[in-house]
Amino acid sequence: MENENPRHAGVDVQTVQHALAGDQSALAQIYDAYARSIYRYHLSRVESVPDAEDLTSQTFMAVIEALPRYQHRNNFTAWIFQIARNKAMDHFRKTHSHSEINESMADPSQSEALEAVVRSESRARLKSLLHLLDEDERELIRLRYTAELSFVEIAQLLGRKEDAVRKSIRRILDRLSIQMEAHHA
Amino acid sequence: MPEHIHPSELERTLTDVAKVPEPDAEFMNSLRARFVAEGHASAIKNQETHMKRKTFSQRLTWALAVLILVTLVVLATQPTVVNALKRLFGYVPNVGVIDQSSQVRMLTEPLTVTRKNFTVTIEQAVLTHEKTVIIYSYSTPPDFSPNPEPMDMRAPFITLPDGTQLKINQGYRLAVQDCSTCAMRYSMEFGTIPANINTASLQLPSLIGTPAGSAPQDWTIKLTFKPADPSAIAPVTEYEVTPVPTETVSATTTEPAVGTPTQAINTYGVTQGLDKVAQLPDGYILYGHVAWTDRSIRPYGVSTNLLSIKDANGVDVPFDYAQTESNAKPEDMRLDWAFKIGKDFVAPLKLDFYMEASIDVNGGSFTFDPGPDPQPGQKRNINQDVLVGNKIVHVLSVERADTQPGFFFQFTLQSDSNIIDAFIIDPNFPPAGGGGGAVSMPQVGDPFISGYGYEKSLPQGSITMKFFSIGVLVPGDWTLSWSP
C-alpha cells in the first residue's frame, strides 16, 4: 500500500480549515504543495507555456472559490487535480484542440544532455509509442509521470481502486515494453 | 534476438519523456502572491457576509437582552422567571445552538424518497428567525461504483410557494457512524423562511459527493413544517464570561529576562472563558472561547488545547470535540472551542488547558556552513545563541534529512524562555518545505526541531537563516471550573 505523496503530505484538514479562515501561511502551504505539479500537468496537455500558466492561474483562482465547498475525505490531491482537469477540459473545448504528451516541451538543456546518452533511441521510440495510447491511458501516464501523483492519489482522482490504477499502469508499461522490444528485434 | 527492457529502465525513460520544463520562477511567485492575497480576501468576505446575516438577529438579541434586564429588575424575586429566561437559546443535535427567541419550526416528520435504488432521507429541518437548516442523508445501491467524471457541483436551493428561491449559504458533511446505510449525511443552511410559510420545496440538483451522471439528479422534495416540539430542543445556559488570567504578573524563574532583571511575564493579553453550556439527555456541550489583545500574535494564532477534565474527586472525565458555535474573523483576535462530555461525574469540573501562541518576530538570525556536500543523516553542531524578540534561542545543531529531491535541513533548537517552536527561513531562497516540528505538548526548555528545504541545489558557502515566527507557551493558570 503506497502512502500519501510526501510532496502533498503537509496539506491536511487543519491546513484547509486555516486556509478557509484566511490564514495566509496555510494558503501558501497549499500553493507550495501543488503549484508545480499542477503546472507540469497543464504544460503536458497544452501546446504553450503561456497557456499552461493561464490554466494554472485559473486552477488556483477556482480553488479559492471552491474551497468552502471542499469536504475533507483525505482526498485533497484528488479534489484539487479534479479542478485542474476541469480547467484543461474547458480549454480544449474552447480551442477545439486535443491533448497529448508533448515531448516537444521537454527542457532543451535536459534534452541535450539526455540525447547524448545511450537511451536516446529508446526515448525517441517511446515518444512515438505514447502517441498510440488512448486518452485515458495518456492521462494515467501524465498523472503518474508528469504530475508525479501517487497511485492512491490517482485512484481518488479517477474514482477507481488503487489496485486497479496500479494494474492499468502496469499493463500500459508492459505493452510499451513489448512494443519497444519488438522494435529492437 | 529482441532486447529485453527492465521495467525500472522503462519507467526511468518514461519519466524522462514525460518531463516538462519547470515553471518560470517569476510567474510562480506572482501567482503565489495573488493566490494568498485573494484567498485571504475571499475568506474575510465570506466571513463578513456570514456576520452581516447575523446583524439583525444580534440587534434583536440586544433588544431582548435589555427587555430581559428590565424584567429581571421588576421580578427579581421570582426565580421561575429567571429559569425561563435561561431558555432563550436551545440546542438541536447536528444543528448546534439556536436562538429560540421567536418560534422555532421543524419538519413535520422525516421524509424518504427512492429513485433507482438511491434513497434520500430528509432527516431534519430547523427554521428560526435567523436561518433554515436542512439535514439530509442518502444511501446508494450495493453495486454503486462512481465513474471518474467530474463532481456535479450544482448547488441545492429551496423554492417557496410564491416561487422565491433561497440559495444555500453554507453546507458541511456530518458524521454517519449512527447510520449504517448512509453513504453521506449533509447539513445545509439557507436564509430565513417567513413565519407564515409552512411548506417549501427542497431542490437537490445532485446528491452531494456523487460524480455527474452517476446517480439520479434533480430531486424535488416537498417539505412541511410545524412548531417545534419543545422536547426536541435541549436547554442552553449562557454564562457571564470571567476571563483568566487578567493581569500581567511578575517575573518568575521560568521567564528569564534579557537585560532587564525585573521584566514582567507577557501573557499577550490572552484570556478565555466559558460562554454557554447545552444540556443534552446524555451529557453536556461546553462552549467557550479564547481571545487576545497582542497584535504580534498571528491571525488565529492561539492554540488552546484541552489537556484534561477532572471532576471533584480528581477522576478524569472523557471528552470529545464538538462543533463550535461560531467562526471568528481573523481581526476578531479570538477563537471558539466546544467540548462534549457525559453526565457521569461529581461536580465541580476542572478543565485544564495548554495555551500556545504563534508570534511574528522581526529578525534574529544565525549563519552556518553546511559543508561542500552534506550527506543525508550528517549532523553538524552550530551552538549559537540568537536573540529572538527579547529572548534567547540556542541553535544547537543541523542535520540533513534523508529526503529527495532537494536538500532539507532539520535544526535542533532550545530555549530557556517560553519559546517552544520556531519557523526559520533563508530569506534569499523561497522555501521548498519547512516549519516547526515540536513535540505535541512541549514544555519550557524542551529541544524542538525546525526544518527548511532547498528544492534544487544548495547555496554556495555559508547560509544565514532568519527567524520568521515563534511559538510560545502562554504563561498563566489556564484552568476553568464549572458545575451544572
Side-chain angles (χ1 to χ4, degrees):
Chain A
M1 180 78 180
E2 183 174 348
N3 292 324
E4 189 180 2
N5 191 332
R7 289 171 187 273
H8 309 145
V11 177
D12 55 16
V13 63
Q14 282 192 323
T15 308
V16 175
Q17 284 173 343
H18 287 180
L20 263 173
D23 184 334
Q24 294 178 330
S25 62
L27 287 160
Q29 193 178 344
I30 290 173
Y31 181 87
D32 292 341
Y34 290 101
R36 288 177 190 278
S37 295
I38 286 172
Y39 173 86
R40 284 197 291 260
Y41 171 78
H42 282 311
L43 188 54
S44 75
R45 295 197 67 162
V46 298
E47 296 288 337
S48 70
V49 168
D51 283 351
E53 290 183 347
D54 186 40
L55 285 169
T56 306
S57 300
Q58 287 183 37
T59 300
F60 277 96
M61 293 306 112
V63 166
I64 291 172
E65 285 185 17
L67 205 54
R69 297 192 295 275
Y70 171 69
Q71 301 158 27
H72 183 73
R73 283 177 292 181
N74 202 24
N75 62 349
F76 190 80
T77 302
W79 181 82
I80 198 169
F81 264 87
Q82 188 61 64
I83 292 174
R85 292 182 85 209
N86 290 347
K87 290 297 172 191
M89 282 189 274
D90 288 345
H91 171 83
F92 292 124
R93 273 196 288 272
K94 286 175 189 168
T95 60
H96 306 290
S97 60
H98 63 282
S99 63
E100 61 183 12
I101 290 183
N102 193 345
E103 69 275 16
S104 65
M105 299 305 300
D107 186 337
S109 60
Q110 292 179 348
S111 292
E112 287 168 14
L114 290 166
E115 290 301 328
V117 302
V118 181
R119 293 204 305 271
S120 61
E121 191 180 348
S122 298
R123 283 170 49 85
R125 175 65 182 152
L126 192 54
K127 287 175 187 175
S128 62
L129 290 174
L130 289 175
H131 285 285
L132 301 176
L133 300 177
D134 65 33
E135 176 51 29
D136 287 347
E137 292 172 330
R138 279 206 295 264
E139 182 72 346
L140 282 173
I141 297 296
R142 195 181 289 123
L143 292 170
R144 178 65 182 160
Y145 296 102
T146 304
E148 298 180 353
L149 300 194
S150 69
F151 290 114
V152 172
E153 289 168 338
I154 297 172
Q156 288 179 334
L157 172 62
L158 302 181
R160 296 167 63 177
K161 292 182 178 175
E162 181 195 356
D163 190 47
V165 171
R166 282 182 184 277
K167 285 177 181 171
S168 296
I169 293 177
R170 188 74 261 158
R171 275 198 298 271
I172 296 169
L173 293 182
D174 287 345
R175 194 164 78 241
L176 290 171
S177 179
I178 291 168
Q179 290 168 329
M180 296 278 282
E181 288 174 8
H183 177 73
H184 288 290
Chain B
M1 184 73 180
E3 180 186 346
H4 297 288
I5 303 170
H6 193 278
S8 60
E9 174 66 15
L10 179 64
E11 284 209 84
R12 274 199 297 274
T13 310
L14 195 51
T15 302
D16 287 341
V17 170
K19 194 173 286 179
V20 294
E22 286 298 307
D24 176 67
E26 188 176 337
F27 161 74
M28 292 297 280
N29 289 336
S30 168
L31 179 58
R32 187 181 198 268
R34 186 182 163 202
F35 175 71
V36 170
E38 292 199 18
H40 178 69
S42 174
I44 289 172
K45 188 180 171 187
N46 289 341
Q47 288 156 1
E48 283 175 351
T49 304
H50 181 68
M51 293 304 289
K52 280 177 184 170
R53 287 200 304 272
K54 283 194 159 183
T55 302
F56 175 74
S57 63
Q58 284 173 337
R59 284 176 183 163
L60 184 62
T61 303
W62 276 109
L64 283 166
V66 171
L67 181 63
I68 289 166
L69 189 61
V70 171
T71 309
L72 280 172
V73 169
V74 174
L75 301 172
T77 58
Q78 304 293 322
T80 53
V81 173
V82 178
N83 288 336
L85 290 172
K86 283 182 178 177
R87 299 180 67 86
L88 184 63
F89 291 98
Y91 174 86
V92 178
N94 285 331
V95 175
V97 175
I98 59 167
D99 184 341
Q100 50 180 350
S101 55
S102 61
Q103 187 182 59
V104 177
R105 291 173 291 162
M106 290 185 174
L107 208 58
T108 51
E109 58 183 352
L111 298 167
T112 297
V113 180
T114 299
R115 290 168 57 192
K116 296 182 179 176
N117 291 326
F118 286 81
T119 298
V120 172
T121 300
I122 310 299
E123 298 186 356
Q124 182 61 286
V126 177
L127 288 69
T128 71
H129 68 272
E130 286 183 308
K131 61 188 178 184
T132 301
V133 179
I134 296 177
I135 295 166
Y136 82 95
S137 61
Y138 65 81
S139 62
T140 61
D143 59 347
F144 177 58
S145 178
N147 60 35
E149 294 302 313
M151 295 293 171
D152 190 334
M153 302 299 282
R154 291 178 295 158
F157 59 96
I158 288 175
T159 305
L160 301 183
D162 65 356
T164 304
Q165 291 190 353
L166 302 180
K167 292 180 180 176
I168 186 169
N169 292 329
Q170 61 174 328
Y172 52 90
R173 190 181 181 188
L174 297 171
V176 293
Q177 288 94 326
D178 60 335
C179 176
S180 59
T181 58
C182 291
M184 172 76 80
R185 177 182 279 149
Y186 200 70
S187 173
M188 303 174 291
E189 184 181 317
F190 301 89
T192 308
I193 295 179
N196 61 338
I197 295 176
N198 282 314
T199 60
S201 290
L202 174 65
Q203 314 281 345
L204 299 175
S206 67
L207 300 181
I208 193 84
T210 57
S214 64
Q217 297 176 301
D218 299 316
W219 300 70
T220 300
I221 301 171
K222 189 172 182 183
L223 310 175
T224 307
F225 314 114
K226 65 174 184 179
D229 181 345
S231 67
I233 305 175
V236 170
T237 305
E238 191 172 16
Y239 289 85
E240 184 182 350
V241 174
T242 50
V244 287
T246 56
E247 301 292 335
T248 299
V249 294
S250 301
T252 70
T253 53
T254 59
E255 180 75 1
V258 176
T260 52
T262 56
Q263 184 189 0
I265 293 174
N266 185 1
T267 58
Y268 310 97
V270 176
T271 57
Q272 80 162 348
L274 183 68
D275 298 322
K276 291 185 180 73
V277 175
Q279 185 179 333
L280 313 180
D282 60 343
Y284 301 90
I285 297 180
L286 311 179
Y287 295 93
H289 75 277
V290 57
W292 58 94
T293 57
D294 191 327
R295 295 195 174 276
S296 67
I297 294 179
R298 296 171 62 76
Y300 303 116
V302 175
S303 301
T304 176
N305 304 288
L306 180 56
L307 295 175
S308 69
I309 302 178
K310 291 187 184 296
D311 74 2
N313 295 328
V315 175
D316 275 313
V317 176
F319 62 88
D320 200 358
Y321 293 89
Q323 180 75 28
T324 56
E325 189 187 357
S326 61
N327 296 313
K329 293 185 287 184
E331 63 269 27
D332 288 344
M333 299 202 293
R334 105 180 229 137
L335 279 171
D336 293 291
W337 50 257
F339 299 102
K340 184 178 180 182
I341 58 173
K343 284 193 160 176
D344 186 18
F345 59 82
V346 179
L349 295 182
K350 282 201 180 299
L351 288 73
D352 184 20
F353 292 87
Y354 176 97
M355 199 71 73
E356 183 181 348
S358 179
I359 311 277
D360 281 328
V361 290
N362 184 21
S365 61
F366 62 93
T367 300
F368 75 103
D369 184 356
D373 184 23
Q375 297 300 304
Q378 188 176 339
K379 191 172 183 177
R380 284 170 177 262
N381 290 328
I382 296 179
N383 291 327
Q384 291 182 36
D385 287 352
V386 182
L387 191 63
V388 181
N390 63 344
K391 294 163 184 162
I392 296 291
V393 174
H394 310 296
V395 183
L396 303 177
S397 61
V398 60
E399 179 178 343
R400 187 188 160 188
D402 188 9
T403 57
Q404 295 289 340
F407 293 82
F408 196 87
F409 290 110
Q410 288 183 324
F411 299 90
T412 301
L413 314 169
Q414 187 264 338
S415 177
D416 299 322
S417 73
N418 62 335
I419 297 175
I420 52 173
D421 198 5
F423 184 48
I424 55 177
I425 62 168
D426 179 346
N428 297 315
F429 291 86
V439 294
S440 56
M441 299 288 174
Q443 298 301 315
V444 167
D446 285 350
F448 55 93
I449 303 290
S450 187
Y452 194 80
Y454 296 88
E455 188 163 4
K456 287 186 175 174
S457 58
L458 276 179
Q460 294 293 314
S462 297
I463 297 174
T464 297
M465 306 297 299
K466 182 181 177 185
F467 281 80
F468 184 79
S469 67
I470 54 173
V472 297
L473 191 63
V474 182
D477 176 13
W478 299 109
T479 304
L480 292 177
S481 183
W482 173 73
S483 291

